Amino acid sequence: MTPHRTAPLLLGLAFALTAQAARETYNFNTGWRVHVGDVQGAETPAFADQAWKAVTLPRAWNEDDAFAKDIVDHRTGIAWYRKRFTLPADVANRKVFIEFEGARQAAEVWVNGQRMGMHENGVTAFGFDLSHVVKPGDNVIAVRTDNRWDYRERATNQRYQWADRNFNANYGGLPKNLRLHVTDKLYQTLPLYSSLGTTGVYVHATGFDIQAGKAIVTAEAQVRNEHHGPRRFGYEVTLRQPAGPVVAVIKTPTHTLAAGATATVSAKAPVTGLRFWSWGHGALYDVETRLVVDGKPVDSVVTRTGFRQTAFTNGMVTLNGRVIQLKGYAQRTSNEWPAIGLSVPPWLSDYSNGQMLVSNANFVRWMHTAPWKQDVESLDRIGLMQAMPTGDSEADVTGRRWEQRMEAMRDAIVYFRNNPSILMYEAGNRGVSLEHMAEVRALRDRFDPHGGRAAGSREMLSKALQHVAEYGGEMLYVNKSARRPMWAMEYSRDEGARKFWDELSPPFHRDGDGPEHKGQPAPTYNRNQDSHALEDVRRWVDYWRERPGTGTRVSSGGVNIIFSDSNTHHRGAENYRRSGEVDAMRIPKDGFFAHQVIWDGWVDVEKPRAHVLGHWNYAAGTVKTVTVISSAARVQLALNGKLVGTVEASEPFVFNFPGVEFEPGELRAIGLDKAGDKVCEDVRITAGAPAALKLTVQTHPQGLQADGADLALVQVEVVDAAGRRNPVALDMVKFALDGPAEWRGGIAQGPGNYVLSKELPVEGGVNRVLIRSTTEAGVVRLRAEGHGLVPATLELHSQPVPVIGGLSTRFPADGVPIQSTRGPTPTTPSFTTSRVAVPVASAEADSGIAANAIDDDESTSWTSESGKSSIHFKLAEATTLSEITIKFGGWRERQYPLVIRVDGTEVWRGLTERSLGYVTLPLKAHHGQVVGIELTGEAKGGVETAKTEVANQKIVDTGAARLGRSALSIVEAEFYKLP
């Protein structure tokens, strides 16, 4: 739709502003034009931009590069965006603000030829007061963007550390949403601290009674008076469920604010009948804060928020009074899609993020930079907890670089402090100093003192740091604490394409085949689906073993890197990262379903599941090991009704049935509990030969919106005569698109990754493509054809979106529902205590500092001298130990031959395992009080197991290279008895 409208439409807009003078907020995304390259005079209103490309924001000007090019090859440089918009006559007596959710990297803004200012950090939201430059009638905004990798802050010539070719995919220009706000001159400010110096509205709750649904709700608003004289006003707060009943109304005594003054007003009251936000339960409220003069509202702001109680103590995270172990993904903040980048509509953000929830994730750790507002609000709606960084690279920094990080952190806290899904603020992707951590915590305390959010960073392992940091944890390994929650911030870094099932399925990819990485073999970066899923399970088991309920010192979980294949740094065969549990189009890999099994519960597995890895469409005579991932006690396998066998787990969650010969039909896995009763099952059925194509579509809940930015996600499958997907089909599919829509396509292995191609193959019998609406409503038809296959057609009717003078009152998230897939926080315990820690009274050794082995501080360790490799622990009381859990120095590389004695009696002898951190040694029963641990020979292994895990080998250092083979090193030792 064009930005200029007829007189009746302009009158309609004027009426809307007058009739609802309290405040109007407009969708400012439509009616833009973009030009790639620098142009003289493009900031002037009279500049001729008719030849520029018409777009609806959000839109990266280099979106075509997403997944078509390696991250280092994303196009960069100058791009201009311009827009004409129309305002009514009474705007001259009002305030007008523009809000950008972000720009990449820098954005310099002019309105009606006057320079408003610029924003340079490429991450956070910003805005400008346009009141003095806009006018009734036609106006022009021009934005010059610059996304060069080496962009430098103008005032200081300092680069931004997070403009990094390694992880921060460069979708340039204006890839996020815009809004225009028109208010009275007595108004509540916007939460845009750096650009406007204001903090907006802050809603929070205290005094929780979760069982009774009660809390004390407070709504604060920063108010500014830009009238020429003082203003007396009332402050009123209405709390309601979205599109639902009013829950509470709070009024305060009249306030007086002098001309030009700014003040914070507040209202609070106990509220009953509250629904608390929780995992998989997007319980949200609309909190309307109003300024009332002479009984009439002159400004009104609606803040969507939710209420939940948190705690970060005793090594655990607690949500609404229930312990929850963090299980989820370290996801790239770009969260991108092929040929689109990050700029998808909100419903598609909900679908993508909702798939994490379907995999039974409860937590997302965005990486390196703050997420955009749309993803934050998406996690609010679906009920996924998140950790929010703001801007960093891979180390603590100093000087102006630290100041840049803190400015971004401050702005993000102010902007997102009403979003219930944010539980943690992250100071750095690697450890920061004690002083810097204290600074971050002080920022939190200043701007979000009541939000129930922890401030922390990666690492933060020492006692001193844990006095300030409220959470921590390494990136690859298992950390535990009895004080602050410790969780792994990115684990399971292996890569594997969805196209490769196993070595026995087309295209017959041998597991591990692929290019070297950094001159070394890299099989872990070229896995098939079977081995990738098994690696996901094996890595998680180390955290599961140390979960809450297993002692005083516990692990609070970890996040798998990453959820969806990403257009960021890569180490396998493709030019993008394939570590995802879903591919770039969010089609699940087997690891997705493995996570459903192992993660289904707050701490312990609460719902038994089973998943048969792979498919059941093999060539005659094929013999293979069938692997079932299950949380059952035992698993039965039946083929066409005949029992293949019943087995117990060969390793946690993994059940193997070797030597199964393929026979077409039904392969059924049945999970049994300890009593032998069926608790879960999974089935694979052999599909027939490819016969036809099948198209299905997902759109906005109210249909495809003709706003020029909405998308339809179309799935294409190769099916047999009965309509079943053939899981080994690799057919090429040709698409034809007619009607008011734009082809954006999908992705597959092949030239240019088939990005934007209208001909691309299915992989594993399925693929997906995206089509984008235009600003014209109408009938859209999509046809898919393949050689020898019955074609498929799909018809969509895009819905008109009213736009008046470049403004719309319909927002992209309108009509996108709040979800509750898991319901409120359960009142039952979230774990069963499986062992009880036995306190240690003292530790003694012939060498080294023995107390370091029991100080709940993983930055210290006891390390013996050569030949003096024994240590003794005196328990607080005599008992019968069931097991000992130890984190050894060099834990991932080293194995130690040990003997363990209780009061002189041998209870364990052997060679310890390697692990991601802790190993548990089961003991022979013997009642006693003094436990001796002694090295009986040389330690085995070295640093060779680190290899190419990460680019910076210091990150994976476990200390093995500094340990002599005749030395024993213990980071922490723990002693347990049965409950």
Side-chain angles (χ1 to χ4, degrees):
M1 294 184 177
T2 60
H4 294 287
R5 292 298 180 189
T6 60
L9 290 178
L10 289 176
L11 288 173
L13 177 62
F15 176 80
L17 279 169
T18 303
Q20 299 186 32
R23 177 180 295 227
E24 281 295 313
T25 298
Y26 295 100
N27 177 347
F28 205 62
N29 288 340
T30 56
W32 288 83
R33 293 184 179 273
V34 63
H35 173 80
V36 179
D38 210 355
V39 182
Q40 292 296 318
E43 74 277 11
T44 61
F47 181 84
D49 60 12
Q50 292 84 351
W52 290 14
K53 181 179 180 181
V55 298
T56 297
L57 302 183
R59 184 75 59 90
W61 63 264
N62 61 348
E63 64 175 359
D64 291 0
D65 295 351
F67 285 94
K69 296 182 178 181
D70 190 304
I71 181 176
V72 301
D73 297 322
H74 284 182
R75 288 174 291 166
T76 62
I78 308 300
W80 280 87
Y81 290 75
R82 283 173 53 92
K83 172 188 171 86
R84 291 175 171 83
F85 60 103
T86 305
L87 295 175
D90 67 349
V91 75
N93 299 316
R94 301 175 67 76
K95 296 291 295 181
V96 180
F97 300 94
I98 189 168
E99 175 188 351
F100 294 75
E101 288 183 2
R104 179 70 181 271
Q105 173 72 38
E108 194 166 6
V109 180
W110 289 263
V111 174
N112 294 334
Q114 297 192 43
R115 185 179 183 274
M116 296 290 95
M118 71 182 305
H119 184 77
E120 298 178 276
N121 73 28
V123 176
T124 57
F126 62 99
F128 302 102
D129 182 348
L130 309 183
S131 308
H132 61 293
V133 297
V134 293
K135 62 185 188 299
D138 292 343
N139 296 267
V140 177
I141 183 171
V143 184
R144 182 182 185 268
T145 66
D146 184 346
N147 73 322
R148 289 172 296 163
W149 286 113
D150 59 353
Y151 180 87
R152 291 180 179 272
E153 188 177 41
R154 285 192 184 179
T156 65
N157 201 39
Q158 174 63 56
R159 288 191 59 196
Y160 288 90
Q161 61 186 294
W162 50 85
D164 192 306
R165 288 178 172 89
N166 184 37
F167 55 77
N168 195 356
N170 197 337
Y171 305 122
L174 300 178
K176 302 178 183 179
N177 296 299
L178 275 75
R179 282 174 288 277
L180 194 74
H181 305 270
V182 182
T183 77
D184 187 81
K185 291 185 178 181
L186 177 70
Y187 62 92
Q188 297 167 81
T189 65
L190 296 174
L192 300 173
Y193 194 91
S194 283
S195 47
L196 295 177
T198 55
T199 56
V201 174
Y202 180 36
V203 181
H204 53 85
T206 56
F208 290 93
D209 185 336
I210 299 297
Q211 298 300 318
K214 297 179 181 179
I216 299 171
V217 175
T218 301
E220 303 174 12
Q222 187 184 58
V223 179
R224 181 167 289 175
N225 177 19
E226 295 197 31
H227 286 283
H228 294 302
R231 283 292 187 272
R232 284 179 60 83
F233 64 93
Y235 178 60
E236 300 178 355
V237 178
T238 299
L239 178 69
R240 62 167 55 86
Q241 295 179 18
V246 171
V247 176
V249 176
I250 312 170
K251 296 183 179 182
T252 66
T254 302
H255 303 264
T256 300
L257 193 60
T262 302
T264 297
V265 296
S266 179
K268 71 176 181 179
V271 178
T272 59
L274 286 174
R275 304 172 306 134
F276 294 111
W277 188 94
S278 186
W279 173 31
H281 186 56
L284 300 177
Y285 289 90
D286 286 339
V287 180
E288 183 180 6
T289 50
R290 294 183 301 277
L291 308 182
V292 179
V293 175
D294 296 330
K296 296 181 179 179
V298 298
D299 188 50
S300 177
V301 173
V302 176
T303 301
R304 179 159 289 183
T305 189
F307 308 108
R308 75 286 180 279
Q309 185 185 43
T310 59
F312 307 91
T313 58
N314 302 319
M316 298 181 289
V317 177
T318 302
L319 178 64
N320 298 332
R322 198 174 200 247
V323 175
I324 189 164
Q325 188 180 31
L326 305 181
K327 309 169 183 182
Y329 302 99
Q331 178 75 339
R332 296 301 189 195
T333 302
S334 45
N335 208 6
E336 66 266 272
W337 293 71
I340 297 291
L342 64 88
S343 305
V344 299
W347 75 264
L348 194 52
S349 292
D350 283 14
Y351 171 75
S352 174
N353 297 328
Q355 288 296 96
M356 297 192 221
L357 190 64
V358 172
S359 77
N360 282 323
N362 59 38
F363 194 77
V364 178
R365 178 201 178 224
W366 301 109
M367 301 187 68
H368 296 284
T369 62
W372 67 317
K373 185 179 182 70
Q374 183 168 298
D375 266 327
V376 171
E377 292 178 340
S378 172
L379 269 59
D380 287 346
R381 285 191 294 268
I382 66 176
L384 260 180
M385 301 179 291
Q386 57 185 310
M388 186 197 76
T390 50
D392 67 4
S393 185
E394 288 286 351
D396 200 1
V397 289
T398 58
R400 179 58 191 155
R401 291 191 298 166
W402 177 254
E403 291 172 356
Q404 288 173 335
R405 190 188 299 188
M406 286 302 91
E407 289 166 5
M409 173 66 78
R410 176 197 61 204
D411 285 7
I413 289 175
V414 170
Y415 199 59
F416 292 129
R417 60 186 179 172
N418 293 311
N419 296 93
S421 54
I422 296 177
L423 260 66
M424 297 179 184
Y425 295 133
E426 181 180 298
N429 190 55
R430 290 195 68 187
V432 299
S433 69
L434 184 67
E435 294 75 18
H436 282 171
M437 192 66 248
E439 189 175 339
V440 172
R441 186 165 169 177
L443 268 184
R444 189 278 314 275
D445 291 345
R446 177 183 175 189
F447 292 105
D448 185 20
H450 307 295
R453 298 180 179 93
S457 174
R458 212 178 86 197
E459 300 174 350
M460 304 288 107
L461 305 180
S462 71
K463 279 184 178 179
L465 284 165
Q466 287 191 55
H467 282 302
V468 180
E470 294 164 319
Y471 71 88
E474 254 299 353
M475 137 178 165
L476 299 170
Y477 303 135
V478 179
N479 305 111
K480 301 202 294 182
S481 176
R483 295 189 296 270
R484 301 299 195 186
M486 291 287 166
W487 49 280
M489 299 193 184
E490 46 188 282
Y491 75 89
S492 197
R493 303 169 64 88
D494 298 11
E495 298 190 31
R498 186 179 63 80
K499 185 174 183 177
F500 306 137
W501 284 110
D502 55 34
E503 298 179 7
L504 304 173
S505 305
F508 305 106
H509 170 83
R510 188 167 67 88
D511 188 44
D513 274 359
E516 292 185 338
H517 181 65
K518 297 184 179 295
Q520 299 183 54
T524 58
Y525 303 145
N526 294 283
R527 292 189 179 276
N528 60 35
Q529 285 204 58
D530 277 8
S531 72
H532 197 185
L534 283 168
E535 184 66 12
D536 280 340
V537 173
R538 287 165 178 155
R539 292 289 182 98
W540 172 250
V541 164
D542 278 7
Y543 305 96
W544 170 78
R545 281 178 169 144
E546 309 303 329
R547 65 195 182 276
T550 62
T552 303
R553 301 185 71 248
V554 295
S555 163
S556 271
V559 288
N560 179 315
I561 177 172
I562 50 184
F563 176 65
S564 58
D565 289 355
S566 170
N567 194 191
T568 55
H569 82 277
H570 54 89
R571 297 151 302 178
E574 308 304 319
N575 66 350
Y576 59 91
R577 187 165 189 164
R578 302 166 303 157
S579 299
E581 275 54 63
V582 298
D583 71 7
M585 301 302 290
R586 279 52 174 183
I587 302 173
K589 306 176 189 178
D590 259 335
F592 175 93
F593 301 106
H595 281 120
Q596 280 187 328
V597 173
I598 62 179
W599 282 353
D600 198 348
W602 281 59
V603 176
D604 298 338
V605 173
E606 296 168 6
K607 178 184 177 183
R609 292 178 181 258
H611 175 71
V612 179
L613 288 185
H615 59 89
W616 197 239
N617 262 70
Y618 291 95
T622 299
V623 178
K624 69 165 294 184
T625 295
V626 173
T627 299
V628 180
I629 307 300
S630 182
S631 48
R634 292 180 295 159
V635 172
Q636 283 184 346
L637 188 70
L639 178 55
N640 292 325
K642 298 178 182 178
L643 183 65
V644 173
T646 303
V647 300
E648 295 184 349
S650 57
E651 53 188 295
F653 302 109
V654 178
F655 298 79
N656 289 315
F657 297 85
V660 181
E661 183 173 355
F662 173 70
E663 176 184 304
E666 179 190 88
L667 185 71
R668 182 179 297 268
I670 301 170
L672 307 175
D673 63 15
K674 292 180 180 179
D677 295 325
K678 173 182 170 181
V679 291
C680 56
E681 68 176 1
D682 193 30
V683 178
R684 297 287 176 273
I685 297 176
T686 307
L693 294 174
K694 177 183 177 181
L695 295 177
T696 53
V697 65
Q698 296 182 69
T699 66
H700 186 288
Q702 296 171 340
L704 182 64
Q705 302 296 299
D707 59 7
D710 198 15
L711 294 165
L713 178 63
V714 181
Q715 180 163 289
V716 58
E717 298 173 83
V718 173
V719 298
D720 64 10
R724 295 174 298 215
R725 181 192 303 175
N726 184 297
V728 293
L730 298 169
D731 298 75
M732 187 68 69
V733 180
K734 183 181 294 185
F735 293 90
L737 178 65
D738 294 308
E742 177 190 359
W743 178 260
R744 300 311 296 170
I747 189 171
Q749 285 190 347
N753 300 323
Y754 287 97
V755 172
L756 289 173
S757 174
K758 286 189 177 179
E759 188 171 354
L760 69 161
V762 296
E763 295 178 341
V766 62
N767 213 329
R768 289 174 178 170
V769 296
L770 289 165
I771 59 175
R772 185 158 56 200
S773 69
T774 68
T775 53
E776 177 186 349
V779 178
V780 178
R781 295 182 179 87
L782 183 66
R783 179 178 173 85
E785 298 178 345
H787 180 70
L789 302 172
V790 176
T793 59
L794 182 73
E795 186 172 284
L796 296 170
H797 295 258
S798 60
Q799 308 300 310
V801 177
V803 178
I804 302 172
L807 309 178
S808 176
T809 56
R810 181 178 175 85
F811 292 86
D814 287 355
V816 178
I818 295 168
Q819 301 178 31
S820 177
T821 54
R822 299 186 67 93
T825 301
T827 57
T828 54
S830 57
F831 61 83
T832 299
T833 299
S834 59
R835 62 186 186 183
V836 176
V838 178
V840 177
S842 62
E844 295 182 355
D846 294 336
S847 62
I849 305 173
N852 285 352
I854 52 171
D855 61 356
D856 194 18
D857 183 335
E858 292 189 16
S859 69
T860 66
S861 62
W862 166 75
T863 302
S864 74
E865 297 176 7
S866 179
K868 297 182 179 179
S869 302
S870 65
I871 186 170
H872 290 81
F873 302 91
K874 184 178 181 180
L875 305 179
E877 60 182 13
T879 190
T880 301
L881 296 177
S882 59
E883 53 195 25
I884 297 176
T885 296
I886 303 176
K887 186 171 189 174
F888 292 102
W891 57 89
R892 193 176 178 191
E893 287 91 35
R894 283 289 167 90
Q895 294 178 279
Y896 294 91
L898 298 180
V899 61
I900 301 176
R901 298 182 177 91
V902 174
D903 286 356
T905 298
E906 183 176 309
V907 294
W908 192 89
R909 180 184 290 269
L911 187 66
T912 64
E913 297 178 352
R914 297 187 180 107
S915 76
L916 295 184
Y918 289 82
V919 294
T920 294
L921 309 176
L923 306 181
K924 296 176 184 176
H926 184 76
H927 194 79
Q929 191 167 9
V930 177
V931 181
I933 302 175
E934 181 180 353
L935 187 70
T936 60
E938 287 195 343
K940 312 297 182 184
V943 297
E944 71 278 357
T945 55
K947 291 186 177 178
T948 57
E949 178 75 52
V950 293
N952 184 351
Q953 287 296 289
K954 292 181 180 179
I955 295 175
V956 301
D957 183 23
T958 66
R962 298 183 296 278
L963 294 172
R965 295 189 182 275
S966 297
L968 177 60
S969 179
I970 296 177
V971 178
E972 290 291 333
E974 303 160 8
F975 304 86
Y976 295 104
K977 63 182 180 180
L978 294 174

